Amino acid sequence: MKKVFVKSYGCQMNVYDAERMADMLASEGYSETGAMEEADLVILNTCHIREKAAEKVYSELGRVRELKKERQGQGQETKIVVAGCVAQAEGKEILRRAPAVDVVVGPQNYHNLPQLLAKARTERVVDTEFPIEDKFDHLPRPSKAAIRNRGVSAFLTIQEGCDKFCTFCVVPYTRGAEVSRPVSKILDEALRLADAGVRELTLIGQNVNAYHGEGPDGSVWSLGRLLHRLAEIPGIARLRYTTSHPRDMDDELIAAHRDLPALMPYLHLPVQSGSDRILDAMNRKHTGDEYRRLIARIREAQPNLALSSDFIVGFPGETDAEFEDTMRLIADVGFASSFSFKYSPRPGTPAAEIETQVPEAVKAERLARLQNLLETQRQAFNHGTVGQTLDVLLEKPGRHPGQMAGKSPYLQAVQIETDSHGIGDVVTVRITRAGSNSLFGEVVRSGDQAAA
Ligand code: SAM
Ligand code: SF4
């Protein structure tokens, strides 16, 4: 059996795509390996969102080329594939800069991998066309064993691409226009995942709450309606969705946070900035106060809601006062967790053309202050859960014998002592202590057991 090593960078969409590539190659006789040195096929599933992400890929390619040479010396062949958004954006340029690469394949084309690999026996190939057909229709179904191996929490892509064109972002160019998968295909995949023991589904998409897929009756379903249907699937205990845009939080979705116990009270809703002028320049199409009011409405529907967000500091032209607006918004809203980045100019995006770029040192100083505040909020949130009773989905054995590790509704890692519960059980836990990255607790009720 040949071996494939897949390394994924960036977002959850890439994690999902990497799994689909592995499923596809399993039916071509490849087994997955975690050791690049023994791989006959190395796939780098790349991210183009920030400059460093692309540069990391080129330096990794240098290492893979050395490996390819070494294996060649031992009479073994290694094929190198660059997939994902750097592949889409750079195309042929990758073949020029990295002569060891055999195949470059965009995120909409990886269902063609078997044919591309066959072609790569004689020539180096690039496939970055946006195809008419849906790649999901061409992907093989993973085996029950493969699903089980990946754990009780699974990603499920329901939407791809983006039509929002935020001025800093490459996604609309690398992932293409927004497309929602039909409800029947999503249900089919969700049922198979549940049947293999998956307890938690995270619906993913670049703009997941813009979902508007065709329902079984031909009508258009919103994300709120889809969540209601998925919550009916036996075995599915938890639902999440990411990443959302504030503009697409409609009434039906907000009501789902009130009405669906399976929908976790945790929402990743990126705001990027707290300054109205910067939000406008980013083309986000909402103000800081509109975001605050939206959060108040969702919290009214779901009082236990915890939030996470993405922030960009040093967007072109951002003044000290505008940065302080972001700090104020963070203080007003309160986040349980967050991702924050220095603005990184992406070729081809409108913001990269703005002349007043913020100096690197200013960006670094702002990022440090912002991350300090966010970290204080994260720690405060974690400590605030001490003494509370939370449901924990058990995902794996803990650090020590007799321990199990799982996740709270707020995606916090929780360690418990137990010898009577297994992976996939949802147990009710009283949180006794908060460490810097994990919570610790004791079981107070057995709750919902995973199917045997
Ligand atoms: N669709 C999501 C949204 O609307 O917020 C975000 C998707 S993007 C993959 C993830 C995050 O990367 C963004 O929320 C943003 O904070 C960050 N990001 C995107 N482009 C960036 C850039 N040019 N520089 C720095 N951060 C960027
Ligand atoms: Fe990028 Fe904006 Fe689309 Fe999110 S909504 S993927 S940040 S263009």
Short mmCIF file of all heavy atoms in Angstrom, two decimals, residues 51 88 243 372 398:
data_model
loop_
_atom_site.label_atom_id
_atom_site.label_comp_id
_atom_site.label_asym_id
_atom_site.label_seq_id
_atom_site.Cartn_x
_atom_site.Cartn_y
_atom_site.Cartn_z
N GLU A 51 0.32 36.92 4.48
CA GLU A 51 1.56 36.75 3.75
C GLU A 51 2.40 35.62 4.33
O GLU A 51 2.91 34.77 3.61
CB GLU A 51 2.33 38.06 3.85
CG GLU A 51 3.39 38.22 2.81
CD GLU A 51 3.99 39.61 2.92
OE1 GLU A 51 3.51 40.41 3.74
OE2 GLU A 51 4.95 39.85 2.18
N GLN A 88 -4.36 27.93 -5.55
CA GLN A 88 -5.31 28.67 -6.39
C GLN A 88 -4.75 30.02 -6.80
O GLN A 88 -4.85 30.42 -7.96
CB GLN A 88 -6.63 28.86 -5.62
CG GLN A 88 -7.75 29.46 -6.44
CD GLN A 88 -8.19 28.54 -7.57
OE1 GLN A 88 -8.28 27.33 -7.40
NE2 GLN A 88 -8.41 29.10 -8.75
N THR A 243 -17.65 29.96 9.81
CA THR A 243 -17.55 31.28 10.40
C THR A 243 -18.66 32.16 9.86
O THR A 243 -18.98 32.11 8.68
CB THR A 243 -16.22 31.92 9.98
OG1 THR A 243 -15.15 31.18 10.53
CG2 THR A 243 -16.10 33.32 10.49
N ASN A 372 -3.39 41.37 24.85
CA ASN A 372 -3.35 41.40 26.30
C ASN A 372 -4.76 41.49 26.88
O ASN A 372 -5.15 40.75 27.78
CB ASN A 372 -2.53 42.64 26.69
CG ASN A 372 -1.86 42.42 28.00
OD1 ASN A 372 -2.05 41.39 28.63
ND2 ASN A 372 -1.09 43.40 28.44
N GLY A 398 -7.64 11.23 29.01
CA GLY A 398 -6.97 12.43 29.53
C GLY A 398 -5.47 12.23 29.64
O GLY A 398 -4.92 11.24 29.13
#
